[in-house]
Amino acid sequence: MAVSVPRDRPIGVFDSGVGGLTVLHELLVQLPQEDFVYLADTARFPYGERSARELQEFSLQIAEELVRRQVKLLVVACNSATAAALPALQARMMETTLGVDVIGVVRPGAVHAVATTRTGRVGLMATTATVSSGAYAEAVAAADPHVDLVQVPCPDLTAIIEGGFPFDQRVVDTVRRYCEPLREARVDTVILGCTHYPLVRPMLQRMLGPAVTIISSGAPLARQVEHVLGSRSLGSLREGEGNYSFLCTGDAEAFRAQGTHFLQMPLGDVAQVEIAAGALQPTPNLARAQRLRT
Ligand code: DGL
């Protein structure tokens, strides 16, 4: 039985790096009165080629760190971590905390894509970890089993984006190669199933063609967060703007420089945190977790 969490606490958000800033950006716009604490696990970036077990372990460690900082809600702003660890995170939050809800990026994007497609042919660009988890196939089928999902793993794309600008011809060729199967399959809607990808959205739109609708999870996720805060009486009562702060596990100055560029808002101070590797094992109680990946 969940104990009620005070509404004046921050919302915790995490990703492997700067990608989750595309989600944070939507949250800051949609919920300006809330406080946020964003954790980037840059020391262990990239997540996209890691095993499900590693991603579960990392996600549980980060959740513990954010709960220690008294977050009232946890947002997994990383598809790879959502796909591998959402049920484990939800189980752990149910067992060990004051009933902190966990929201991931897979289901909001999948549901929005199914509602958007007119032909029933949807594409997915995502990391290898996300594609091989089957999380999007499951979420799309749950929304409408008649929608075909064409999945393209894009193993180099996150590292290219995290590496920053300027992009050279090699980058353009790599991105074009990833778009090719989606053009061939004549999808009318493409899910950006990695929170880093909206950072190169104009390049993707040009290569996919103007008729394709690109879906990123930030906006639908922000609407879900708004709903969760409202339905649990957890929304901040503040009238002005809230605060946001940043933590990272790698080099703080590098994250600040990169993050300011991508968030297009000042980041202020970034604190480096150490997250003990191997401190937690994946929860044994997965069976009790909600199976549905949100
Ligand atoms: N932005 C993350 C995702 O949505 C992680 C990508 C990575 O670290 O490879 O999957």
Side-chain angles (χ1 to χ4, degrees), residues 14-20 22 38 41 44-50 55 76-82 105 126-130 136 154-155 157-159 162 192-197 217:
F14 78 89
D15 181 41
S16 60
V18 292
T22 60
Y38 181 97
D41 194 8
R44 298 187 288 196
F45 174 88
Y47 275 11
E49 302 296 308
R50 292 190 181 272
L55 292 172
V76 188
C78 172
N79 289 266
S80 311
T82 300
V105 273
T127 65
T128 307
T130 298
Y136 270 99
C154 310
L157 194 47
T158 333
E162 191 86 16
L192 303 187
C194 171
T195 53
H196 280 73
Y197 300 172
S217 7

Side-chain angles (χ1 to χ4, degrees), residues 10 28 32-37 238 241-245:
L28 290 170
Q33 71 283 7
E34 296 293 337
D35 292 338
F36 294 92
V37 50
R238 183 191 282 121
E241 286 167 17
N243 302 306
Y244 53 94
S245 61

Side-chain angles (χ1 to χ4, degrees), residues 259-280:
T260 307
H261 182 70
F262 286 132
L263 190 68
Q264 293 173 12
M265 289 189 212
L267 254 67
D269 288 339
V270 179
Q272 194 180 16
V273 282
E274 207 158 297
I275 293 182
L280 282 172

Side-chain angles (χ1 to χ4, degrees), residues 30-292:
Q30 191 104 352
L31 299 161
Q33 71 283 7
E34 296 293 337
D35 292 338
F36 294 92
V37 50
Y38 181 97
L39 192 150
D41 194 8
T42 46
R44 298 187 288 196
F45 174 88
Y47 275 11
E49 302 296 308
R50 292 190 181 272
S51 70
R53 189 181 164 79
E54 273 179 306
L55 292 172
Q56 270 189 30
E57 193 179 339
F58 294 176
S59 301
L60 290 167
Q61 291 163 357
I62 292 169
E64 180 139 309
E65 177 67 32
L66 290 172
V67 165
R68 218 167 49 73
R69 291 167 189 268
Q70 309 222 298
V71 297
K72 63 182 174 186
L73 182 70
L74 188 60
V75 172
V76 188
C78 172
N79 289 266
S80 311
T82 300
L86 193 74
L89 283 168
Q90 288 171 331
R92 179 59 57 84
M93 294 296 108
M94 274 190 271
E95 283 165 2
T96 61
T97 74
L98 298 175
V100 170
D101 275 295
V102 190
I103 299 178
V105 273
V106 171
R107 197 168 64 146
V111 168
H112 191 45
V114 168
T116 302
T117 181
R118 290 170 310 282
T119 61
R121 286 191 302 277
V122 172
L124 170 73
M125 302 177 83
T127 65
T128 307
T130 298
V131 170
S132 54
S133 75
Y136 270 99
E138 200 179 304
V140 166
D144 182 352
H146 296 285
V147 168
D148 284 334
L149 184 68
V150 181
Q151 307 194 59
V152 181
C154 310
D156 303 325
L157 194 47
T158 333
I160 285 173
I161 295 166
E162 191 86 16
F165 300 99
F167 295 141
D168 58 15
Q169 190 55 39
R170 193 184 52 92
V171 171
V172 175
D173 293 344
T174 305
V175 176
R176 198 182 301 284
R177 187 159 40 83
Y178 293 144
C179 291
E180 207 46 54
L182 299 175
R183 288 189 68 110
E184 269 165 29
R186 299 180 45 239
V187 298
D188 72 345
T189 304
V190 171
I191 304 169
L192 303 187
C194 171
T195 53
H196 280 73
Y197 300 172
L199 297 167
V200 291
R201 186 184 179 127
M203 191 181 348
L204 292 170
Q205 186 77 68
R206 178 170 154 83
M207 290 175 187
L208 291 167
V212 169
T213 304
I214 291 182
I215 306 286
S216 34
S217 7
L221 176 130
R223 280 195 293 278
Q224 193 185 346
V225 168
E226 194 173 7
H227 158 82
V228 167
L229 294 178
S231 59
R232 288 141 178 85
S233 303
L234 270 181
S236 165
L237 299 176
R238 183 191 282 121
E239 290 195 352
E241 286 167 17
N243 302 306
Y244 53 94
S245 61
F246 297 88
L247 306 167
C248 72
T249 56
D251 184 81
E253 194 41 48
F255 180 79
R256 204 180 62 75
Q258 185 81 319
T260 307
H261 182 70
F262 286 132
L263 190 68
Q264 293 173 12
M265 289 189 212
L267 254 67
D269 288 339
V270 179
Q272 194 180 16
V273 282
E274 207 158 297
I275 293 182
L280 282 172
Q281 292 305 311
T283 181
N285 242 336
L286 267 184
R288 282 179 45 211
Q290 244 175 284
R291 270 301 297 151
L292 196 59

